[in-house]
Amino acid sequence: MRCIGHRGAMGYEPENTLDSFQAAIDMGCDMVELDVYAVDNHLIVIHDERVDRTTDGCGAVMSHSFDALRRLDAGKQQQIPTLGEVLDLCLGRLQVNIELKGPNTAGPVCRFLDQNYPYRSNDLLISSFDHAELARANPRYHRGPLFGKAANYLQVVQRLDAVAVHCHRNLINKTMLDTLHAKSLKVFAYTVNDPQQIAEFRATGVDGVFTNYPDRVLVP
Ligand code: G3P
Ligand code: CA
C-alpha cells in the first residue's frame, strides 16, 4: 500500500509548505499530494479558496496578486510555495500528485510541466474533483479523478482515460475495489490518519492512502 503524504506531511508541518514536503520525503513517502491555483501566470500551492486559515493574510486567493501571496506567512515564516519549488524539491525522490484546485488550472499546469519537466510524466499524477477541468489536462500525464461521493467510477475513468481513482475513505468497499482492479486501475483513499483504519485499509488491498501522518503508514 503506497503512502501518499497529504499536502506533504501536514500532521507535522504547515500544510503545502516546503517544510511539509521535505518532512514527507524524510519519512519515506512514495508520493506527495498538493493543491494548485494559477494566479498571475504563476502556479502556487495552497488548499483553500481563501488564504485566511493557512496564512497570516485574509481574502480570496484569486483576489491577490502573486507578489502579495508570496509576502504572506504560510507557517513557520515560510512563503506559499510555487509548483516549481515543490517539484524541484520532490522529483527524483518521490512521485507528485498535483490536484487542480483553483479554476482553469489544467492548461497552465500542463504547459508548465511540458516546458520545465518534459521527461517527468511518469513521476506525476494529476487529479481533480472537477472532472471537466481534469479532462483538459494533456493526456500524456497520468490522471486520477477525485470522488467525494459514490459515482459511476468506470464511466468517468473511461472518459478521462484515467489510471487511478481517488476516493473518500468512506467510499471504499470490496466490490468497487474488485471492479476497478479488474480494469487495472489503482484505487487511492483519502484521508486516512487513524492507525486502526490504516491497518484495515491495508487489509482491503487498496493501492494507497493519503495521510497527514506518513510515519503511521510507513511502519517498518
Ligand atoms: O487528493 C486527496 C485530498 O487532498 C482531496 O481532498 O480537500 O484535502 O483537497 P482535499
Ligand atoms: Ca488535495
Side-chain angles (χ1 to χ4, degrees), residues 70-92:
R70 293 282 274 180
R71 282 195 291 273
L72 299 177
D73 182 348
K76 296 189 177 174
Q77 299 185 316
Q78 296 176 88
Q79 288 180 304
I80 299 171
T82 63
L83 179 61
E85 287 171 342
V86 179
L87 294 178
D88 287 345
L89 176 67
C90 292
L91 289 177

Side-chain angles (χ1 to χ4, degrees), residues 6-7 33 35 47 97 99 101 127 129 146 166 190-191 210:
H6 188 225
R7 309 179 203 169
E33 183 263 3
D35 307 280
H47 178 272
N97 171 205
E99 181 186 340
K101 191 63 109 180
S127 64
F129 286 104
L146 273 155
H166 301 206
Y190 68 88
T191 303
F210 297 87

